Structures are given as structure tokens and as C-alpha cells.
Amino acid sequence: MTTRQPPIDPAAGLLDGDEAVQEVSLDRHAADPGNYPRGTFRKVVSGMITVIALIAASYLVPALEFARPWTPSDPVPFWNLVGRELLGEGAAADAADEQLRELTKLALEDDPPEPPELDPTADAPLPPEPEIRAPAAEHEPIPPYQPHLDDKQRVERRLDDPAALDPFYAALTRTELRLPGAITRAIHYGDSAIGNDGITGSIRQRLQARFGDAGHGYHLLGQPNASYRHQGVTFVERAAFNLCFIIQGCRGDGRYGLGGTTFESTGGAEIRLGTATKGVQGRRVARFEIWYAALSASGTLRARVDDLPPVDIATAGPDLEDRWEVIQVPDGEHTLTLRAAGGGKVRAYGVVLERDAPGVVWDELSQIGALTRRLLNFDPGHIHRQIARRSPDLLVLMFGGNDMNTKGTMSKYKSELTDVIRLLRGGKDPLPCLVMAPLDHGERDGQAIITRPIVPRLVDAQREVAAAEGCAFFDTYQAMGGEGSMGRWARAEPRLGSGDLAHLTHHGHKVVGGMLYRALMAGYRDFRRRVAGHPMSVLEDIMLKGGQHTPAAPLLGAEAGAPTPAAGAEAPAPDPEDPTSGSSGE
């Protein structure tokens, strides 16, 4: 091989010279150099032995710990390929991975591209409303259940004691039959797991798409913290009220309003709250209901809908008293501006957006950062009046994430949860309730992510309390996949779990909301099959019983004095195409 290097101009720049040109000549008749020189492989083997000896020394000599290529905190090399199979864990791991793939597929299917923002000045068409049927005759039979497309979806985890929700299902039946005034309401309290209306918004969207949109529901007059954001509504805080959040224990009289936050202003505070400008749900409202308190020497709240003349609400009164102001509007898209107009300090709580059409309303009442026991800061009489005014058909509780960081005993926690359930159910005799277990919470063990040991203990405690209080129970932890599920969710594509291993992403919220929806609908199908053919009056009877649900057998006429199907009516057989029909398993 020869190299020809052209002369270099000393004044030339670094990139101005020509390339060196190499000429390579290979002679096919070149002499064979023969075998490798003696001792070549001895050197290779000696080098390998030296490397092995150095690795061994790093484990034997403490001072060489920094050089260890693997430590017990690291994942075992090739474990996924060999170790899991040797210990018989491969099938379980594959099943967990397959479940995760199904959940991520559902997350993507449930998250279609959002439609573009609508021009509020344009005459954009709203989705058509189904007709409202005539009032049902008392002895008219309850029609058979009509299968729905969602029935084909697998139910990841069924509810414990779904019959505890019979009054809720009875209300939902009247809503699905589109009887006049048949609005089904749920109030959903929880910690940061529901804080941005992700899980609750997903449930609301599904139920309203299927049973009808009766309005967005309850919304606070401000943000207790940055994580309080609702879906399906527009909200602008133009000048913030001063607020008092229930977890701060800052209200000696215990009057925090339905949503757990009180808002005050001597004048100038202003918010705007209205219907959604995109999507399908939340696009209509027929009444705004302003929740506030009357106080001595209190001021004025000024309410204006769209560009209509304002309405002044005098909030002064001789005693501290809960009050409500209802503003009726034509059913459609509207915006409410609410302002503290001076004349004294006003105290208010929130605004309800509702319609008169049959449908579902699902209130998100998050208490972000709250321990379960913080709800005991409510004055009992006050919160009972607030809940009675809302007249819900279901109470949902999803707490526990913050309770994992306390040092109390499980016995103490069960006592606190029991007291909270009894406090909130006292507004109706008693209000049907559902306890949702907390999300899985992970922690890092080297490179692995495992479930915090307190999680299954807390879940078991909640299940025990729910059963004792006659509430249904949804095991969110097991629905996610149980042990180590948050780690798998955080590594999924798209990600379902957040980096803090305690919360969910946008997609994760949709997945959990979908799992609860499917569990609720499995119980609803069973209920409809139990009551099919019975007189319509049975539905109101069940609703009046509240949480004291009637067992299934009397509804089927198996006991003396129980309601019987109307003449000529027959309860339908289980749907052979429904994978959950007649099943109580998971």
C-alpha cells in the first residue's frame, strides 16, 4: 500500500486542503502467514481469568464495592428469560402483561381525537335529544333489558355486593326508560386520585353517552389548588375569592359547603362558569343553582347569564343559614358570571349546572391532599342539608392515598372511614354507597417497582368497612392487576401510571373510569333481569328504601308478599352473547 500526499499550502485553512489519496494493492498470490503465533490463545484465556478474578475481588473486598457489575438491588440478569420460568412465575407474568396490553388498547380506543374548538358566535348544531316518554302507569310492567354494545366488553373486576346499589340502579332504570324528570345523580368524594376530574370525568362521559346528559353538576367557585380542574365545562377565575379548604380545619362552624371549600369576598371577586365548547357532553344547561350562605351584615352576589340583565342576590340574614338561588334559562349553551358586588362580606360554596331532561349527573367533589378523616370536619347538620338538597342516588368514596403516609393502626383507620360513611349517608335514609379502593402505590426496590406493603392492608380494611356498612365495594387495586401493577402501568405504552408511582396519567384515568363503568353496568344488567316484568311501582319502592336494599329473591316473587310480574310479562333469560350474564365472578 502506498500513500500520495499532495503538497500543503501553509496559508490554507483547515478545510481548504485536498484529501490524501491511498492506493491499496492486494496480491491474490500473497504468502499464507500460517497459524496464529504460539501463545495467542494462552493470552486470551489468561485475560479472561484476570477479568473474572477482578470481578470476584470486587465482591470479596469491601473497598472494591464500587466496581461490582451487579448488586442485589439490580434486576437479576436474564431473569425475564429464565428465572420466572424456573420458579413457575412465567404464566402469571405473561397474564399480567396481556391484561396491560388490553387496558392500553382500551385507553387508546376511549381517547379519540378531540374535535376542534367551536366558534361560540357560530350557530353550531347540538346533538339531538331523544324523546321523553309519557309517565308510566303504576302497574305497567318493567320492560326487559335491551342489550347494549358495551355489554360485549370484559368486566375486569365486579363489585362486591352490587345489590347494595339497587336504589341507584332503580333510578338508572327510570332514566333509561326516559320517564319525565328521571335524573340519576351521584356525588363522588375522593382525594387527588380524582382531583383533575379524570376518573370521574370518564365515568360521567360514559354514563351520559348511554343514559343521557342531565348536566355537568356541582362546581366550586374557585380552585382550592392547581389540580382542581373539571372536564365538560368552561371555568374562568377572573378575580379569585378568598377560600377556606376543609383539610385546613379553618372553619370553626364546620360549614364548608357540599364541595368542602368556602369562598368569601367583600367585593370584586368574579368567576365565569358555563357549558362546554367542545365535545358532546356538557353542552347544555337549563338552570344554574348558586349555593351560598346567609350571614348578618352580608353583602350582595351579582349573577349575570350571557348578556342578560344581572340579578342581585342579597345574602344578608339574621342567622347563619344555607341558601340556594336558582336561575332558569332556555335549555342550551350559556355562561354564568358571578361577582361579589360589595355591601359586606359574602360567603358562597359552588354552582350546579343541570337540565330537566332524563339523564345522569356525576358530581366530582375532590378533597385533594385530604386524609379520609378530614371529612369529619363537616358540621353534621350542614352537610346533611347540603346532600339532601342535591338529592343524590349514590355516594361514592375514593380515599386512602394520603392515609398510607400516616402511622395510625388499621383499626383506627377503619373507625375513621366508618364515621365518614355514616356522616355522609345521614342525609338520606340511608344513601346507597360505593367504596372505591385506592390506586396501587409503588416504591422502588433497586431497579424494580413493587407495591407498598400498606396498600393491600388498606384495601382489605376498606372492604371490611364497606361490607359492615352495607356499601358496595370496587377493588381498584386488584382491577389494576394487584401486586406491582403501578410499576407496569408506569412502563406501559402509552403510560398509564405517573412517575411518582401514586397517580395516573390522562390515559390511566380513562382506564380506571372505564373499569368502574363496566363493573357498574354488570350490576345494572343483573338488576334489570331481576326486576323485568314487575310493576313500574317497584322501582320507586326500591328507591325509597335507600341503602336498605331488598334481596334479589323477593323481587323475583320467591317469598310470600313479594311483588310478582305483571300478567303476561316474562323475565328474559340470560343473554347468551353477554359474557357476564348470570355470572357473579370476575
Side-chain angles (χ1 to χ4, degrees), residues 146-185:
Q146 297 298 317
H148 190 271
L149 287 176
D150 291 347
D151 297 345
K152 305 296 183 182
Q153 297 179 345
R154 185 171 67 90
V155 180
E156 294 83 3
R157 187 83 184 181
R158 278 183 168 254
L159 301 176
D160 292 3
D161 193 14
L165 303 188
D166 277 1
F168 169 71
Y169 290 141
L172 204 56
T173 301
R174 299 184 77 255
T175 297
E176 185 170 36
L177 297 178
R178 297 200 61 78
L179 299 177
I183 297 177
T184 302
R185 299 182 182 90

Coordinates of all heavy atoms in Angstrom, one line a residue, residues 146-185:
Q146 N -82.6 -4.3 27.3 CA -82.2 -4.3 26.0 C -80.6 -4.3 25.9 O -80.0 -3.4 26.4 CB -82.7 -3.1 25.2 CG -84.2 -3.1 25.1 CD -84.8 -4.3 24.4 OE1 -84.2 -4.7 23.3 NE2 -85.8 -4.9 24.9
P147 N -80.0 -5.3 25.3 CA -78.5 -5.3 25.3 C -77.9 -4.1 24.7 O -78.5 -3.4 23.8 CB -78.2 -6.6 24.4 CG -79.5 -7.4 24.6 CD -80.6 -6.5 24.7
H148 N -76.8 -3.8 25.2 CA -76.0 -2.6 24.7 C -74.7 -3.0 24.2 O -74.1 -4.1 24.6 CB -75.9 -1.6 25.9 CG -75.3 -0.3 25.5 ND1 -74.0 0.0 25.5 CD2 -76.0 0.9 25.2 CE1 -73.8 1.3 25.1 NE2 -75.0 1.8 24.9
L149 N -74.1 -2.2 23.3 CA -72.8 -2.6 22.7 C -71.7 -2.8 23.8 O -70.8 -3.6 23.7 CB -72.4 -1.5 21.7 CG -73.1 -1.5 20.4 CD1 -72.6 -0.3 19.6 CD2 -72.9 -2.8 19.6
D150 N -71.8 -2.0 24.9 CA -70.8 -2.1 26.0 C -70.9 -3.4 26.7 O -69.9 -3.8 27.4 CB -71.0 -0.9 27.0 CG -70.7 0.4 26.4 OD1 -70.1 0.5 25.3 OD2 -71.0 1.5 27.0
D151 N -72.0 -4.1 26.5 CA -72.1 -5.4 27.2 C -71.1 -6.4 26.7 O -70.8 -7.4 27.4 CB -73.5 -6.0 27.0 CG -74.6 -5.1 27.7 OD1 -74.2 -4.2 28.4 OD2 -75.8 -5.3 27.3
K152 N -70.5 -6.2 25.5 CA -69.6 -7.1 24.9 C -68.2 -7.0 25.6 O -67.4 -7.9 25.4 CB -69.4 -6.8 23.4 CG -70.7 -6.9 22.6 CD -71.4 -8.3 22.7 CE -72.6 -8.3 21.8 NZ -73.3 -9.6 21.9
Q153 N -68.0 -5.9 26.3 CA -66.6 -5.6 26.9 C -66.5 -6.5 28.1 O -67.4 -6.7 28.9 CB -66.5 -4.1 27.2 CG -66.5 -3.3 26.0 CD -66.3 -1.8 26.3 OE1 -66.5 -1.4 27.5 NE2 -66.0 -1.0 25.3
R154 N -65.2 -6.9 28.3 CA -64.9 -7.7 29.5 C -65.0 -6.9 30.8 O -64.5 -5.8 30.8 CB -63.5 -8.4 29.4 CG -63.2 -9.3 30.5 CD -61.9 -10.1 30.1 NE -60.7 -9.2 30.1 CZ -60.0 -8.9 31.2 NH1 -60.3 -9.5 32.3 NH2 -59.0 -8.1 31.1
V155 N -65.5 -7.4 31.8 CA -65.6 -6.8 33.1 C -64.3 -7.2 33.9 O -64.2 -8.4 34.3 CB -66.9 -7.1 33.9 CG1 -66.9 -6.4 35.3 CG2 -68.1 -6.8 33.1
E156 N -63.4 -6.3 34.1 CA -62.1 -6.6 34.7 C -62.3 -7.0 36.2 O -61.6 -8.0 36.7 CB -61.2 -5.4 34.7 CG -60.7 -5.1 33.3 CD -61.6 -4.2 32.5 OE1 -62.7 -3.8 33.1 OE2 -61.4 -3.9 31.4
R157 N -63.2 -6.4 36.9 CA -63.4 -6.6 38.3 C -64.9 -6.3 38.6 O -65.3 -5.1 38.5 CB -62.5 -5.8 39.2 CG -62.5 -6.2 40.6 CD -61.6 -7.4 40.9 NE -61.7 -7.8 42.3 CZ -61.0 -8.8 42.8 NH1 -60.2 -9.5 42.0 NH2 -61.1 -9.2 44.0
R158 N -65.6 -7.2 39.1 CA -67.0 -7.0 39.5 C -67.1 -6.3 40.9 O -66.1 -6.4 41.7 CB -67.8 -8.2 39.5 CG -68.3 -8.6 38.2 CD -69.2 -9.9 38.2 NE -69.9 -10.1 37.0 CZ -71.2 -9.9 36.8 NH1 -71.9 -9.4 37.8 NH2 -71.7 -10.1 35.6
L159 N -68.2 -5.7 41.2 CA -68.4 -5.1 42.5 C -68.6 -6.2 43.6 O -69.2 -7.2 43.3 CB -69.6 -4.2 42.5 CG -69.6 -3.0 41.5 CD1 -71.0 -2.3 41.6 CD2 -68.5 -2.0 41.8
D160 N -68.2 -5.9 44.8 CA -68.6 -6.7 45.9 C -70.0 -6.2 46.3 O -70.2 -4.9 46.5 CB -67.6 -6.5 47.1 CG -66.3 -7.2 46.8 OD1 -66.1 -7.7 45.7 OD2 -65.4 -7.1 47.7
D161 N -71.0 -7.0 46.5 CA -72.3 -6.7 47.0 C -73.0 -5.6 46.1 O -73.4 -4.6 46.5 CB -72.3 -6.2 48.4 CG -73.7 -6.1 49.0 OD1 -74.7 -6.7 48.4 OD2 -73.9 -5.5 50.0
P162 N -73.1 -5.9 44.8 CA -73.7 -5.0 43.9 C -75.2 -4.7 44.2 O -75.7 -3.6 43.9 CB -73.6 -5.6 42.5 CG -73.4 -7.1 42.8 CD -72.7 -7.2 44.1
A163 N -75.9 -5.6 44.9 CA -77.3 -5.4 45.3 C -77.4 -4.2 46.2 O -78.5 -3.7 46.4 CB -77.9 -6.7 45.9
A164 N -76.3 -3.8 46.9 CA -76.4 -2.6 47.7 C -76.7 -1.4 46.9 O -77.2 -0.4 47.5 CB -75.1 -2.4 48.5
L165 N -76.5 -1.4 45.6 CA -76.8 -0.3 44.7 C -78.1 -0.4 44.0 O -78.4 0.3 43.1 CB -75.7 -0.2 43.7 CG -74.2 -0.1 44.2 CD1 -73.3 0.3 43.0 CD2 -74.1 1.0 45.3
D166 N -79.0 -1.3 44.5 CA -80.3 -1.4 43.9 C -81.1 -0.1 43.7 O -81.7 0.2 42.7 CB -81.2 -2.5 44.6 CG -80.9 -3.9 44.2 OD1 -80.0 -4.1 43.3 OD2 -81.5 -4.8 44.8
P167 N -81.1 0.7 44.8 CA -81.8 2.0 44.6 C -81.2 2.9 43.5 O -81.9 3.6 42.8 CB -81.6 2.7 46.0 CG -81.4 1.5 46.9 CD -80.6 0.5 46.2
F168 N -79.9 2.9 43.4 CA -79.2 3.6 42.3 C -79.6 3.0 40.9 O -79.9 3.7 40.0 CB -77.7 3.5 42.5 CG -76.9 4.0 41.3 CD1 -76.9 5.4 40.9 CD2 -76.2 3.1 40.5 CE1 -76.1 5.8 39.8 CE2 -75.4 3.5 39.4 CZ -75.4 4.9 39.1
Y169 N -79.6 1.7 40.8 CA -80.0 1.0 39.6 C -81.5 1.2 39.3 O -81.8 1.3 38.1 CB -79.7 -0.5 39.7 CG -78.2 -0.8 39.7 CD1 -77.7 -1.9 40.5 CD2 -77.3 -0.2 38.9 CE1 -76.4 -2.2 40.5 CE2 -76.0 -0.5 38.9 CZ -75.5 -1.5 39.7 OH -74.2 -1.8 39.7
A170 N -82.3 1.3 40.3 CA -83.7 1.6 40.0 C -83.9 3.0 39.4 O -84.6 3.2 38.5 CB -84.5 1.5 41.3
A171 N -83.1 4.0 40.0 CA -83.2 5.3 39.4 C -82.6 5.3 38.0 O -83.2 6.0 37.1 CB -82.3 6.3 40.3
L172 N -81.6 4.6 37.7 CA -81.0 4.5 36.4 C -81.9 3.8 35.4 O -82.0 4.2 34.2 CB -79.7 3.7 36.5 CG -78.6 4.0 35.4 CD1 -78.2 5.4 35.3 CD2 -77.4 3.1 35.7
T173 N -82.7 2.9 35.9 CA -83.7 2.3 35.0 C -84.8 3.3 34.6 O -85.1 3.4 33.4 CB -84.4 1.1 35.8 OG1 -83.4 0.1 36.2 CG2 -85.5 0.4 34.9
R174 N -85.3 4.1 35.5 CA -86.2 5.1 35.2 C -85.6 6.1 34.2 O -86.3 6.6 33.3 CB -86.7 5.9 36.4 CG -87.4 4.9 37.4 CD -87.9 5.7 38.6 NE -89.2 6.4 38.3 CZ -89.3 7.7 38.1 NH1 -88.2 8.5 38.2 NH2 -90.4 8.3 37.8
T175 N -84.3 6.4 34.4 CA -83.6 7.3 33.4 C -83.5 6.7 32.0 O -83.8 7.4 31.0 CB -82.2 7.6 34.0 OG1 -82.3 8.3 35.2 CG2 -81.4 8.5 33.0
E176 N -83.1 5.4 32.0 CA -83.0 4.8 30.7 C -84.4 4.7 30.0 O -84.4 4.8 28.7 CB -82.4 3.4 30.8 CG -82.2 2.7 29.5 CD -81.3 1.5 29.5 OE1 -81.5 0.7 30.5 OE2 -80.5 1.2 28.6
L177 N -85.4 4.5 30.7 CA -86.8 4.5 30.1 C -87.3 5.9 29.8 O -88.4 6.0 29.2 CB -87.8 3.8 31.1 CG -87.5 2.3 31.4 CD1 -88.5 1.8 32.4 CD2 -87.4 1.5 30.1
R178 N -86.5 6.9 30.1 CA -86.7 8.3 29.8 C -88.1 8.8 30.3 O -88.9 9.4 29.6 CB -86.6 8.6 28.3 CG -85.2 8.3 27.8 CD -84.9 9.0 26.4 NE -85.0 10.4 26.5 CZ -84.1 11.2 27.0 NH1 -83.0 10.7 27.5 NH2 -84.3 12.5 26.9
L179 N -88.3 8.4 31.6 CA -89.5 9.0 32.2 C -89.3 10.4 32.6 O -88.2 10.9 32.8 CB -89.8 8.1 33.5 CG -90.1 6.6 33.3 CD1 -90.3 5.9 34.6 CD2 -91.3 6.4 32.4
P180 N -90.4 11.2 32.6 CA -90.3 12.6 32.9 C -89.6 12.9 34.3 O -89.9 12.3 35.3 CB -91.7 13.1 33.0 CG -92.5 12.1 32.1 CD -91.8 10.8 32.4
G181 N -88.6 13.8 34.3 CA -87.9 14.1 35.5 C -87.0 13.1 36.0 O -86.5 13.2 37.2
A182 N -86.7 12.0 35.3 CA -85.9 10.9 35.8 C -84.4 11.2 35.6 O -83.7 10.8 34.7 CB -86.2 9.6 35.0
I183 N -83.8 12.0 36.6 CA -82.4 12.3 36.6 C -81.8 11.4 37.7 O -82.2 11.4 38.8 CB -82.2 13.8 36.9 CG1 -82.8 14.7 35.8 CG2 -80.7 14.1 37.1 CD1 -82.7 16.2 36.1
T184 N -80.7 10.8 37.3 CA -79.9 10.0 38.3 C -78.7 10.7 38.7 O -77.9 11.1 37.8 CB -79.5 8.6 37.6 OG1 -80.7 7.9 37.2 CG2 -78.7 7.8 38.6
R185 N -78.5 11.0 40.0 CA -77.4 11.8 40.4 C -76.4 10.9 41.3 O -76.9 10.1 42.1 CB -77.8 13.0 41.2 CG -78.7 13.9 40.5 CD -79.1 15.1 41.4 NE -80.0 16.1 40.7 CZ -81.3 16.0 40.7 NH1 -81.9 15.0 41.4 NH2 -82.0 16.8 40.0

